[in-house]
Amino acid sequence: MLQIPLLAAAAENILQDVSTLHPVSPPAESIRYLFYFVVAVALVILAVVWGVLFYSLARFRQKKNTGGASSPSGQPANSEITTAEPPQVYGSLPIEIAWTVAPGIIVLLLALVIVRTELEVRIKAPATTAGTNAVTATVIGHQWWWEYVIEQNGDQTVNVVTANELHVPASGGSDSVETLRPVYLTLKSADVCHSFWVPRLAGKTDLIPGKTNQMWFQTTQPGLYFGQCAEYCGAQHANMLLRVYVDTPETFAAWLANEQKPAVDDAAMREGRQAFLAQSCVNCHTIRGTTAKGKFGPDLTHLAARETFAGGMIKLNRDNLRLWIRDPQQIKGECLMPAFGLSDRNVDLITDYLMTLK
Ligand code: CUA
């Protein structure tokens, strides 16, 4: 009973369109093109191999001698079967060359197309969009949640730290430098290997400890795009879900402006705020504008502006958050947040306070 509302967000994620075949961004389109190209080549090879196979089966099958009588049992007698084999070929230089060169050409062709796709997806953003109106952000993978640091919004330098739900602007419909809003992500890991995969936006890119990777995407279609950590990273790997909100330019500007503000200081929530600041919460969580400056866990400054928490696993509402604060291990076993054995009163105070942090 307890699990049903808690799992709602994860279940919602499973039901979304996460098909590589429905791309909305150039890198994802490149990958779909590559997929269709490789499948087409494989189908041609299949057609040739099966063609030769079935031709040989028909052409060289054992045949009855015409005009012979069947034996009484209905089985043809040995003498009625053509036992002579077709001419046997022992070694043929032309055939050897043909079946070496043909696959060689196919492999070379595939390699060239793959290298071109790799360049489009990994390295090269369209020359017309480089710089100017791009959004750049760093993604840091944690067991088992995503940290986002938005650094640049066009020519505006920002420093917005948030978690689990990435907001980016949609590009305008035309191909002018002013309206295209490419998103450049720098990928890092705080612990083990993870992989950032939102199939409709771009291919998988790993987040590797001690290494920095890059990726980019860009779309004209606002919407919520779902994804999933795609590299096994421990017990709750399956509950490390990705949500990328592609906002209209106005919605994105409003979101970014709100995220840049310190946390609201609601006089009615002072008691809850004191309860939060008096507990160990502050060792791991930051709430800007307060003394909570911990860095291990998600930044909570605008927690209540999000739709989910715990790595996109759980819908954010008072009931779910309350259960989480009481004992996270009951919900997301082995996550780094322990149950602190807070009194019911403190759990209520802290939950109510956090729910005001829009
Ligand atoms: Cu992070 Cu799998």
Side-chain angles (χ1 to χ4, degrees), residues 142 144 146 193-195 229-233 237 240:
H142 295 260
W144 291 279
W146 303 95
C193 291
H194 305 274
S195 188
C229 177
E231 178 75 43
Y232 182 72
C233 54
H237 157 69
M240 192 166 165

Side-chain angles (χ1 to χ4, degrees), residues 65 111 113 195 223 233 253 256 258 270 275 302 343:
N65 274 332
V113 176
S195 188
C233 54
L256 196 63
N258 184 56
R270 285 282 158 74
H302 297 286
S343 67

